[in-house]
Amino acid sequence: MKYDIIAITGKSAAGKDRILREIAKMNNKNINIIVPTTSRPMRDYEVDGKDYYFIDENEFFKRRACN
């Protein structure tokens, strides 16, 4: 099976999430969204496991060392 991968990158508040939501609406059966991992603090409106996987810096570097 062949997969196309699209990466949406940009500065904070550039509109990446909005673009992703619109793409998902247009292709709701053919898209899988990868949830990124971050060591930054969670913002009030964010949900762990939906917006990001939030981990502390020790866990971040531990995972990085395994690769």
Side-chain angles (χ1 to χ4, degrees), residues 32-43 46-57 59-60 63:
N32 293 307
I33 298 170
I34 297 170
V35 178
T37 300
T38 185
S39 61
R40 71 161 173 76
M42 184 169 33
R43 296 175 182 141
E46 293 175 320
V47 177
D48 188 32
K50 180 180 178 225
D51 300 300
Y52 291 90
Y53 292 110
F54 293 93
I55 60 174
D56 63 31
E57 287 186 16
E59 181 64 20
F60 182 85
R63 290 182 188 190

Side-chain angles (χ1 to χ4, degrees), residues 11 13 23-24 31 36-37 47 49 52 58 65:
K11 293 181 180 182
I23 291 171
I31 189 168
T37 300
V47 177
Y52 291 90
N58 290 333

Side-chain angles (χ1 to χ4, degrees), residues 20-32:
L20 184 58
R21 283 193 303 272
E22 294 300 319
I23 291 171
K25 281 184 198 174
M26 292 185 298
N27 299 293
N28 63 352
K29 293 182 182 177
N30 299 318
I31 189 168
N32 293 307

